[in-house]
């Protein structure tokens, strides 16, 4: 066990789990946010059918991330969850409502509009809560001796509301580019028209958050402006992605538009990680401070290394089976 | 009145876990039943077993789905409300709970899909194998959860360094003295739950003369099973109680309503325990009963609540009455299993109206027994979260305020009320539709996904069954 830094391995596993979750659940949450604005009920059917086979496979990454945290970095778990107490409740309630709505909308006739609203409302609340979590994370947590000492609403600040709104627009963009990729006709045209507007919204918030973040914490400021010049490649890559999305969407290259939206999220995420690395509970605790005992990390690693390839294979297979466009009035059968 | 975050956190956890527990306890039993049905189909080639298997697989899918949704919250509650406990015990509890999640994923990615959607795509033996693996998987999940809980009841295999527990022996920490009894008792409870629900649903169809031959078979085989399992469970429960007497005597004293350590302790049927008096205000009991049960000797000395200081006593009346509810349900279950045997002659078990009506009602009994049993063991451990090591006050999240917990408690109740209503409403719909659903799925477009177990049923959520059939 001495040969490997188990904490580092676990940090990579959980970081990958989180971004997998953001990318994959992101586009189906985004569809939920766009749901009320869809031109007609047929489009809503297409939207839901386009994610029906994959959406909760997507959510398994959240559960895997949460389970990994309690096993490998309990301090993250025991500080973040109390600090984000009410936000976590909103996140869970939103995800649950949306999951149940998903199941029952398919089986409903009369009660369809109720489940429509539950789906949209749940998606919006869950996304906004996730965005606030990001904002609260950048701002850091008030702790003493490894225990959260702040208040119930510390996570809700102008900055975290901004990141919350950013997340809502960002997921909507993911949802829109996904929908362009998976649909045809008037549904596709509608989604295509949304992309540039959402992209502008994302860029505006990206710019404000990028300027604001270094002002929050001296360490972040130094990282970006003093010692590590090479990381400027990340925001630059983000902007290149944005340009690519705009052009790809305009010229009907829907595959590249969607993939570049994923890229936009990945580079933003990496930018966030380098801002705070190696602190997992900013501003005080590093990933080594937060780690559980090596024997516990090792014990759990065996099982996860066994199951992770299976989950990955299964996920890839699902996306492969359900590739291609979804047509109006047609589910997957 | 100031809101107490500890009490409210306990209430919240109790509410969420009670709501959640009834679904897995059902699916564990049902998964085994489905595996038996598919096994019988492979062995005999009789398509009756396959039809029954299909019907119960649909019900399994819905219950499994609600169970998964309602369980998500629990994984976060440890951190939101009991963060000091997690910080203390994460080196053990973290991997154990994570392994439960890993098991569930493995199951979902592997065999659940084949069980739910592979009926016409793979051979009956492969389908049976998938059903068997799902059944095994549900037990493996239960294993991790009960390992964690048993460690909290009878902790060992660890040492505390700088306020954090470290595992010194995984074998000792995982296989604690109460674990084998708890696991057997719970496994048996799951079988009984599955069994009595199958009986109740079969009785419902028999009373309405629908698919009589098929449901009679289901009822008959399940009654034989229950005839063995109900007394067996009583015996296992008794052994579990003796194990508890050894490790947590105060819990048993509360179960018996016994305040003083003494011989010739009566078995109380009814009592009004009073913690301020440290005595029962009144009691009705069978002389020497508790001594006989716990010590197998009328003169046996049974420890009372006086063994522990007053502030370490559990709330006696809750433990006392929960225990009685559980035992009463157990006795009712034994009664119906035996009555089923008595009604074998002339196959009256499948025609007697009082018996069938009674069985319908008995579908609820195992759920009540399971909840009451958990209240006994969990409230009986109070004020300890980890018995003898950490109490509630040390375990609760320090930054919590009563208002925060109350707000989320009300929120969870609201969310779960909607899920429960929609879920159970839909479950009844699937049951009412019965064995044949070839015409019922009109207008329903769904994609079959193992990760979404509900997609295994093609029953409309609203609109009458009859209108869907026509």
């Amino acid at each position: 066990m001495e040969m490997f830094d188990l904490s580092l391995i676990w940090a990579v596993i959980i970081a990958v789990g989180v971004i997998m979750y953001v990318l994959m659940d992101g586009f189906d949450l985004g569809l939920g946010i766009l749901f009320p604005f869809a031109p007609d009920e047929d489009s809503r059917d297409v939207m839901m059918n386009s994610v029906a086979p994959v959406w909760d496979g997507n959510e398994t990454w959240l559960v895997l991330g949460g389970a990994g945290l309690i096993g490998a970095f309990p301090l993250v778990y025991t500080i973040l969850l109390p600090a984000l107490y009410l936000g976590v409740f909103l996140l869970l309630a939103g995800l649950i409502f949306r999951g149940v709505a998903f199941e029952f909308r398919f089986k409903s006739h009369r009660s369809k509009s109720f489940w429509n609203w539950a789906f949209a409302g749940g998606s919006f609340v869950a996304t906004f809560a996730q965005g606030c979590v990001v904002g609260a994370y950048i701002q850091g947590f008030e702790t003493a001796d490894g225990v959260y000492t702040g208040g119930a609403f510390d996570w809700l600040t102008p900055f975290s509301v901004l990141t919350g709104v950013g997340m809502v627009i960002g997921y909507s963009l993911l949802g829109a580019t996904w929908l362009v990729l998976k649909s045809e006709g008037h549904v596709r045209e509608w989604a295509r028209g949304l992309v540039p507007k959402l992209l502008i919204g994302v860029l505006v918030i990206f710019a404000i958050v990028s300027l604001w973040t270094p002002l929050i914490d001296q360490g972040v400021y130094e990282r970006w402006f003093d010692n590590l010049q090479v990381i400027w490649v990340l925001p630059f890559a983000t902007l290149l992605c944005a340009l690519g999305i705009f052009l790809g969407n305009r010229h009907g290259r829907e595959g590249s538009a969607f993939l570049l939206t994923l890229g936009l999220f990945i580079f933003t995420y990496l930018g966030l990680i380098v801002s705070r690395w190696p602190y997992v509970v900013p501003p005080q605790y590093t990933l080594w401070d937060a780690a559980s005992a090596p024997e516990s990390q090792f014990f759990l690693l065996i099982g996860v290394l066994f199951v992770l390839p299976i989950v990955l294979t299964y996920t890839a297979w699902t996306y492969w089976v359900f590739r291609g466009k979804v047509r109006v009035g047609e589910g997957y059968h | 009145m100031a809101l107490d975050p500890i009490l409210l956190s306990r209430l919240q956890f109790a509410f969420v876990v009670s709501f959640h527990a009834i679904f897995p306890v059902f699916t564990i039993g049902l998964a085994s039943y489905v595996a038996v049905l598919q096994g019988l189909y492979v062995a005999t080639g009789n398509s009756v077993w396959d039809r029954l298997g299909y019907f119960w697989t649909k019900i399994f899918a819905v219950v499994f789905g609600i169970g998964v949704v309602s369980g998500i919250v629990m994984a976060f509650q440890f951190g939101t409300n009991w963060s000091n406990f997690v910080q203390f015990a994460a080196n053990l509890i973290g991997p154990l709970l994570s392994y439960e999640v890993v098991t569930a994923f493995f199951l979902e990615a592997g065999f659940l899909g084949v069980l739910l959607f592979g009926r016409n795509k793979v051979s009956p033996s492969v389908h049976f194998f998938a059903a068997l693996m799902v059944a095994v998987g549900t037990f493996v999940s239960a294993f991790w959860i009960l390992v964690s809980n048993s460690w909290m009841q009878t902790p060992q295999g660890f040492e505390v360094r700088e306020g954090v527990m470290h595992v010194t022996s995984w074998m000792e920490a995982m296989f604690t003295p109460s674990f084998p009894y708890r696991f057997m008792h719970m496994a048996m409870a799951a079988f009984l739950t599955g069994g009595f629900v199958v009986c109740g649903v079969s009785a419902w169809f028999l009373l309405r003369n629908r698919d009589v031959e098929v449901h009679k078979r289901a009822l008959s085989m399940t009654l034989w099973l229950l005839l063995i399992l109900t007394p067996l469970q009583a015996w296992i429960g008794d052994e579990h109680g003796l194990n508890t007497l050894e490790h947590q005597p105060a819990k048993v004293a509360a179960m018996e309503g016994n305040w003083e350590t003494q011989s010739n302790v009566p078995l109380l049927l009814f009592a009004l325990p009073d913690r301020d008096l440290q005595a029962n205000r009144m009691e009705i009991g069978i002389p020497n009963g508790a001594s006989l049960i716990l010590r197998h000797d009328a003169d046996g000395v049974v420890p009372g609540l006086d063994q522990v200081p007053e502030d370490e006593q559990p709330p006696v009346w809750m433990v006392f009455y929960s225990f009685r509810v559980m035992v009463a349900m157990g006795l009712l279950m034994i009664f119906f299993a035996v009555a089923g045997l008595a009604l074998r002659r002339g196959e009256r078990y499948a025609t007697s109206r009082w018996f069938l009506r009674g069985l319908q009602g008995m579908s609820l009994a195992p759920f009540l027994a399971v909840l009451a049993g958990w209240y006994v063991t969990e409230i009986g451990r109070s004020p300890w979260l980890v018995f003898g090591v950490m109490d509630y006050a040390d375990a609760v999240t320090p930054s919590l305020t009563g208002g925060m917990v109350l707000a989320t408690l009300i929120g969870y109740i609201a969310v779960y009320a909607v899920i429960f209503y929609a879920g159970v409403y839909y479950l009844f719909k699937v049951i009412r539709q019965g064995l044949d659903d070839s015409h019922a799925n009109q207008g329903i477009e769904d994609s079959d996904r193992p990760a979404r177990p509900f997609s295994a049923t093609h029953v409309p959520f609203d609109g009458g069954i009859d209108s869907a059939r026509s």
Side-chain angles (χ1 to χ4, degrees):
Chain A
M1 267 186 274
E2 300 295 317
M3 292 161 60
F4 304 101
D5 186 344
L6 281 166
S7 297
L8 209 54
I9 296 175
W10 269 109
V12 172
I13 291 176
I14 289 172
V16 170
V18 168
I19 189 65
M20 286 293 276
Y21 171 75
V22 168
L23 296 181
M24 294 165 77
D25 213 23
F27 67 76
D28 59 56
L29 281 165
L31 282 187
I33 297 165
L34 296 176
F35 219 55
F37 310 106
D40 49 42
E41 204 61 28
D42 282 346
S43 333
R44 293 196 184 97
D45 288 343
V46 170
M47 289 165 85
M48 251 196 176
N49 275 323
S50 76
V51 290
V54 292
W55 79 271
D56 50 3
N58 300 346
E59 274 182 15
T60 52
W61 292 97
L62 178 70
V63 183
L64 203 63
L69 270 187
I70 187 175
F73 299 109
L75 193 72
V76 180
Y77 186 86
T78 59
I79 292 178
L80 258 58
L81 287 179
L84 304 167
Y85 191 83
L86 296 172
V88 168
F89 167 74
L90 289 177
L91 173 63
L92 292 176
L95 288 179
I96 289 173
F97 258 118
R98 158 174 190 279
V100 175
F102 219 118
E103 296 295 346
F104 287 132
R105 186 182 180 275
F106 279 115
K107 306 184 193 305
S108 301
H109 302 292
R110 269 182 328 212
S111 56
K112 209 167 201 168
S113 71
F114 173 78
W115 298 120
N116 278 349
W117 282 107
F119 182 63
S123 301
F124 177 84
V125 168
T127 304
F128 183 73
Q130 285 178 18
C132 291
V133 169
V134 174
Y137 194 85
I138 295 174
Q139 289 187 309
F141 302 95
E142 201 182 317
T143 58
D145 295 329
V147 171
Y148 178 67
T149 51
F153 290 99
D154 284 12
W155 58 277
L156 200 62
T157 62
F159 183 72
S160 72
V161 169
L162 182 73
T163 52
V165 172
M167 199 65 126
V168 169
I169 302 177
Y171 277 1
S172 301
L173 178 66
L174 262 178
T177 52
W178 165 264
L179 192 58
V180 175
L181 179 67
K182 298 296 280 187
S183 66
E184 353 172 272
H186 77 294
V187 187
R188 180 168 177 274
E189 285 317 305
W190 169 68
R192 233 179 115 183
L194 288 175
V195 171
K197 295 173 199 152
L198 293 167
L199 189 60
I200 291 169
V202 167
L203 287 177
V204 167
I205 293 187
F206 179 80
I208 303 175
V209 170
S210 301
L211 293 174
W212 197 332
T213 304
L215 304 176
I216 290 171
D217 186 276
Q218 188 64 27
V220 180
Y221 183 89
E222 282 166 11
R223 171 124 334 147
W224 283 95
F225 292 101
D226 291 344
N227 35 22
L228 259 179
Q229 302 297 325
V230 65
I231 58 179
W232 280 91
V233 76
L234 293 171
F236 188 65
T238 310
L239 291 176
L240 272 184
C241 284
L243 183 66
I245 297 166
F246 181 75
L247 293 175
N249 187 61
R250 189 152 136 191
H251 300 296
R253 287 193 302 268
E254 49 210 31
S256 72
F258 177 66
L259 289 176
L260 286 170
T261 313
L262 298 182
L264 186 124
F265 269 83
I266 292 172
F267 289 120
T268 311
Y269 178 70
L270 288 175
L272 174 66
I273 290 181
V274 296
S275 296
R276 281 304 197 178
W277 180 270
Y279 290 93
V280 286
V281 185
Q284 247 186 313
Y285 301 100
T286 67
L287 63 103
W288 295 282
D289 298 330
S292 58
E295 62 271 17
S296 300
Q297 286 190 333
F298 184 72
F299 182 70
L300 184 57
L301 190 63
I302 302 167
V304 168
L305 288 184
F306 174 68
V307 98
L308 215 52
I310 298 173
V311 173
L312 278 172
T313 314
Y314 178 69
T315 307
W317 176 75
T318 308
Y319 276 88
W320 174 250
V321 168
F322 293 102
R323 67 193 182 279
K325 297 262 185 193
V326 185
R327 289 175 182 82
V328 172
E330 177 191 279
Y332 293 97
H333 288 287
Chain B
M1 197 186 87
L3 296 166
D4 176 13
I6 299 176
L7 180 68
L8 286 166
S9 289
R10 290 174 62 190
L11 278 175
Q12 181 171 312
F13 201 85
F15 170 75
V16 173
V17 79
S18 299
F19 178 90
H20 171 66
I22 55 182
F23 297 104
V25 78
F26 184 18
T27 44
I28 293 168
L30 206 50
S32 298
Y33 183 62
V34 167
V36 169
L37 291 172
Q38 297 303 145
L40 282 169
Y41 176 51
V42 172
T44 65
N46 187 340
S47 69
V48 165
W49 300 121
D50 196 40
R51 288 180 75 198
L52 270 176
Y54 180 45
F55 174 66
W56 285 104
T57 304
K58 283 190 293 180
I59 294 172
F60 172 83
V62 174
V63 180
F64 187 87
I66 308 174
V68 170
V69 168
S70 64
I72 297 173
V73 174
M74 307 211 50
F76 292 88
Q77 265 188 317
F78 292 107
T80 50
N81 291 53
W82 305 102
S83 68
N84 274 6
F85 162 66
V86 175
Q87 204 161 54
F88 170 73
N91 283 333
L92 176 70
I93 297 291
L96 293 182
L97 295 180
S98 301
Y99 260 107
E100 199 273 334
V101 171
V102 167
T103 310
F105 279 172
F106 181 64
L107 186 76
E108 198 170 87
F111 300 104
L112 192 64
V114 183
L115 171 65
L116 297 186
F117 310 109
R119 192 165 294 273
N120 301 315
K121 298 186 179 103
V122 297
S123 74
S125 351
V126 172
H127 192 238
F128 163 60
F129 180 72
L132 198 63
M133 293 315 287
V134 169
V136 170
T138 59
F139 274 105
V140 177
S141 268
F143 168 84
W144 295 111
I145 297 299
L146 292 175
V147 163
S148 313
N149 184 269
S150 297
W151 182 81
M152 291 162 72
Q153 301 278 358
T154 48
Q156 63 173 30
F158 68 100
E159 63 183 19
V160 181
R161 296 201 297 266
E162 292 166 6
V164 172
M165 69 85 76
H166 289 260
V167 179
T168 51
S169 158
W170 287 97
M171 283 305 281
E172 274 185 39
M174 286 175 63
F175 298 95
T176 56
S178 65
F179 171 74
Y181 299 94
R182 196 179 313 279
F183 186 75
M184 288 304 291
H185 200 40
M186 201 59 208
M188 213 48 78
F191 284 142
L192 291 180
T193 307
F196 273 98
V197 173
V198 169
C199 283
V201 171
S202 305
W204 188 87
F205 282 106
L206 290 174
L207 282 168
R208 279 157 190 77
N209 279 321
R210 282 177 61 183
D211 297 305
V212 170
E213 282 312 307
V214 180
H215 291 294
K216 206 169 97 181
R217 254 180 213 248
L219 180 58
S220 168
M221 67 182 280
T222 312
L223 282 173
W224 282 123
L225 183 77
L226 291 177
L227 190 63
I228 304 165
L229 294 188
T230 46
L232 188 63
Q233 175 72 323
W235 176 72
I236 294 172
D238 184 50
E239 292 292 314
H240 190 13
L242 294 178
N243 177 265
T244 308
L245 178 66
E246 189 181 328
H247 296 280
Q248 299 171 303
K251 186 190 288 183
V252 175
M255 283 154 67
E256 300 295 349
N258 180 33
W259 297 89
E260 278 173 49
T261 304
Q262 57 189 339
S263 64
N264 305 85
V265 177
L267 177 64
L268 298 182
L269 302 176
F270 177 80
L272 292 175
D274 190 323
R275 222 168 134 173
D276 296 330
L277 285 178
Q278 290 286 299
N280 295 326
R281 269 193 280 177
M282 67 154 290
E283 55 185 49
I284 302 166
I286 302 165
N288 302 335
S291 287
L292 275 170
I293 289 173
L294 292 168
R295 294 294 188 213
H296 303 285
D297 175 6
D299 295 326
V301 175
V302 176
L305 284 155
D306 55 4
Q307 299 265 321
V308 292
E310 258 179 70
D311 59 357
E312 288 181 21
Q313 290 172 356
V316 179
W317 68 270
M318 286 173 85
V319 180
F320 182 84
Y321 282 106
S322 298
F323 181 63
R324 267 141 199 79
V325 168
M326 179 185 76
V327 172
M329 290 302 129
L331 293 175
L332 263 178
M333 286 187 243
I334 294 175
F335 169 77
F336 270 88
V338 173
L341 179 68
L343 293 169
R344 283 279 161 184
R345 183 173 297 181
E347 295 192 325
R348 278 185 298 139
Y349 68 90
T351 52
S352 158
R353 295 196 83 77
W354 75 263
F355 183 67
L356 293 176
R357 288 222 180 87
L359 280 180
Q360 279 185 24
M362 283 301 288
S363 305
L364 287 177
F367 293 105
L368 276 177
V370 165
L371 288 180
W374 274 104
Y375 294 161
V376 171
T377 198
E378 292 295 283
I379 300 170
R381 188 188 54 206
S382 139
W384 301 106
L385 196 74
V386 182
F387 187 73
V389 176
M390 180 177 237
D391 64 17
Y392 294 126
D394 288 337
V396 79
T397 300
S399 58
L400 270 192
T401 62
M404 288 162 78
V405 193
L406 185 65
T408 52
L409 174 61
I410 294 169
Y412 283 125
I413 291 175
V415 172
Y416 280 13
V418 175
I419 306 175
F420 192 77
Y421 175 76
V424 172
Y425 171 80
Y426 187 62
L427 185 65
F428 274 81
K429 206 142 190 175
V430 175
I431 292 174
R432 279 206 308 272
Q433 189 191 271
L435 292 178
D436 187 16
D437 69 352
S438 52
H439 305 295
N441 58 348
Q442 54 165 236
I444 298 293
E445 285 184 9
D446 208 345
S447 47
D448 292 348
R449 303 299 311 145
R452 299 199 300 109
F454 275 44
S455 57
T457 72
H458 298 283
V459 180
F461 180 79
D462 45 22
I465 288 289
D466 293 324
S467 65
R469 276 193 168 175
S470 57

